[in-house]
Amino acid sequence: MNPLNGIPSTVPKGAPPVRHFLQFTDFTNEEIHYLLDRAAFIKHKFKTFVRHHSLVDRTLAMIFEKASTRTRVSFEAGMYQLGGSVVHLTTGDSQLGRAEPIEDSAKVISRMTDIVMIRTFEQTKLESFAAHSRVPVINGLTNEFHPCQILADIFTYIEHRGLIGGKTVVWVGDGNNMANTWLQAAAVLGFHLRVSTPRGYEVDEKVAVTPHGMGAGSYKTYSDPVEACKGADLITTDVWTSMGFEAENETRRKAFAAWCVNAEMMAAAKPDALFMHCLPAHRGEEVAADVIDGPQSVVWDEAENRMHVQKALMEYLLLGRQD
Ligand code: CP
Ligand code: NVA
C-alpha cells in the first residue's frame, strides 16, 4: 500500500515465475508448435492489413552488443505492429559499455520495460541478465545459440514443405551458434540432423546439450559434406567466421574451402530440397551464388519470417496462450 494515496502496491506477489527464451530447449515441442501456429495467424493478419494490437502500451528493450540488420528490424517493426514501442541500446551508447554490472542493468531495464531482447557474446552474460530481470528475456544471438533464427527457419520449412518431424536437415560448415541451435531443435522436434564440419570446428556437445541431456544423440556427423547432403530435405549453412571470431578469418578460409554449399551438394539432396542461410551471406565462401540465388533457396522468406515468429514469441511470453 502506498501511504501517500492508498493505492495498492505494484510489486507483484505470488506471480508465476517469468519465462525466458534463452535457448531452443526452453520450450517444449507442444509450445513450439503453438508458437508456429500463432505466427502463421499473426502473419496472415499482417499480410491482409488486419490490425493485431495485442501488446499496446508494452515496451521492448533491445540490447545489441554485436551488429545486426535482421534482428533489429524484425524485433523493432514487429513490436510496433503489435501496438507496443521499442527502446534500442548498444554497448557504445549505454552504461553497459562503461562496465555497469549486467545484473544492475537487468534490474533497472526490467523495471521500465516489459520484455527484453539481447544480442551479446557469452550465453552466461544473457543468463545473468535473465536471472536478475523481472520481465521475459529473449536471446537475439549469443556465441552459443540463435534460437529466434531457428524458430523462423522451421516456420519457413513448414510453409514450403509441411511438418519437419522425420525430415532430414543437413548443416554444412561451422559448428557455431546456429549449428548448436539446430541440434537442440532436432531434439525438441524430432527431425534427423546431419552435421558436416571441418576437423577442429565440430559442434561442442558441452555447449549444445542441456544439463538434462537434451540434444545428446540428436545428430550424426559426416566428414564429407556431399555425403551428408545425400537424400536431404533441407541444406543449411552460415558464415565461416561468426561475429567475435574475426581474428581467425584467414585460418578459417583455408579450413572451410570444401564446405561451400554448391550445385553438387544440392544435386545430392532430394529434388525438392530447400536451401536456407540465416544471412548475412558471403557468396563464393559458404555458399555458391547459384545456390543462394537459385530456385531452391528460401532465404528471403526465412529473413522475413523472423518478424512473424518473434511477434508470436513476444506475445506468448507476455500474455501466454491466446487460443
Ligand atoms: N540472421 C540474423 O540474425 O541477422 P542479423 O545479424 O542481421 O540480425
Ligand atoms: N553465426 C553468425 C550468425 C549471424 C546472424 C554469427 O554469430 O555471426
Side-chain angles (χ1 to χ4, degrees), residues 72-223:
R72 164 124 195 227
V73 177
S74 58
F75 268 104
E76 188 157 340
M79 191 53 167
Y80 284 125
Q81 289 162 21
L82 291 172
S85 56
V86 177
V87 175
H88 177 251
L89 295 164
T90 66
T91 313
D93 66 14
S94 69
Q95 300 290 5
L96 285 164
R98 296 181 61 253
E100 180 167 15
I102 196 81
E103 296 82 359
D104 293 0
S105 304
K107 286 175 187 167
V108 171
I109 293 166
S110 72
R111 279 179 179 240
M112 301 180 192
T113 62
D114 302 282
I115 188 162
V116 181
M117 187 287 305
I118 308 179
R119 168 167 287 195
T120 188
F121 292 87
E122 298 81 18
Q123 183 77 5
T124 49
K125 201 167 179 185
L126 177 77
E127 285 165 0
S128 298
F129 191 103
H132 295 88
S133 171
R134 283 187 173 186
V135 302
V137 176
I138 297 171
N139 183 345
L141 181 145
T142 58
N143 290 349
E144 290 87 349
F145 298 112
H146 197 4
C148 293
Q149 183 68 54
I150 304 296
L151 260 188
D153 294 3
I154 289 162
F155 182 85
T156 306
Y157 187 86
I158 293 170
E159 274 191 325
H160 284 269
R161 295 285 183 266
L163 291 177
I164 200 165
K167 298 287 171 67
T168 298
V169 177
V170 182
W171 176 263
V172 176
D174 190 17
N176 63 11
N177 42 11
M178 284 289 296
N180 289 337
T181 315
W182 272 111
L183 192 150
Q184 292 200 335
V188 174
L189 298 175
F191 54 83
H192 306 290
L193 179 65
R194 300 177 187 162
V195 176
S196 181
T197 66
R199 195 180 298 211
Y201 297 95
E202 295 87 355
V203 165
D204 182 354
E205 279 216 0
K206 287 196 294 300
V207 172
V209 174
T210 70
H212 309 295
M214 191 87 182
S218 68
Y219 68 108
K220 284 193 182 145
T221 56
Y222 288 73
S223 51

Side-chain angles (χ1 to χ4, degrees), residues 247-270:
E248 299 173 16
N249 210 6
E250 281 316 304
T251 320
R252 284 171 171 264
R253 265 178 201 274
K254 293 187 189 98
F256 282 81
W259 278 263
C260 170
V261 178
N262 56 20
E264 184 190 5
M265 291 185 202
M266 293 308 295
K270 285 192 182 139

Side-chain angles (χ1 to χ4, degrees), residues 53-74:
H53 275 182
S54 55
L55 297 183
V56 173
D57 286 344
R58 301 297 96 184
T59 304
L60 165 70
M62 303 193 296
I63 302 171
F64 285 98
E65 299 209 288
K66 289 176 177 172
S68 168
T69 297
R70 278 144 289 271
T71 303
R72 164 124 195 227
V73 177
S74 58

Side-chain angles (χ1 to χ4, degrees), residues 35 55 60 74-80 82 115 117 136 138 307 309-320:
L35 274 179
L55 297 183
L60 165 70
S74 58
F75 268 104
E76 188 157 340
M79 191 53 167
Y80 284 125
L82 291 172
I115 188 162
M117 187 287 305
I138 297 171
M307 185 174 81
V309 298
Q310 288 161 192
K311 285 167 75 177
L313 173 65
M314 290 190 284
E315 196 188 76
Y316 181 63
L317 288 171
L318 284 172
L319 306 178

Side-chain angles (χ1 to χ4, degrees), residues 199-316:
R199 195 180 298 211
Y201 297 95
E202 295 87 355
V203 165
D204 182 354
E205 279 216 0
K206 287 196 294 300
V207 172
V209 174
T210 70
H212 309 295
M214 191 87 182
S218 68
Y219 68 108
K220 284 193 182 145
T221 56
Y222 288 73
S223 51
D224 176 358
V226 180
E227 188 65 26
C229 292
K230 280 188 181 157
D233 296 288
L234 168 63
I235 298 177
T236 183
T237 189
D238 185 13
V239 290
W240 289 341
T241 305
S242 287
M243 290 180 279
F245 297 84
E246 288 80 2
E248 299 173 16
N249 210 6
E250 281 316 304
T251 320
R252 284 171 171 264
R253 265 178 201 274
K254 293 187 189 98
F256 282 81
W259 278 263
C260 170
V261 178
N262 56 20
E264 184 190 5
M265 291 185 202
M266 293 308 295
K270 285 192 182 139
D272 70 344
L274 298 177
F275 171 76
M276 289 190 194
H277 188 312
C278 64
L279 306 176
H282 300 89
R283 289 166 177 78
E285 291 191 11
E286 75 275 5
V287 60
D290 60 347
V291 171
I292 192 167
D293 299 320
Q296 288 166 279
S297 171
V298 290
V299 297
W300 313 120
D301 289 342
E302 196 188 345
E304 178 191 324
N305 284 334
R306 286 289 302 277
M307 185 174 81
H308 306 300
V309 298
Q310 288 161 192
K311 285 167 75 177
L313 173 65
M314 290 190 284
E315 196 188 76
Y316 181 63

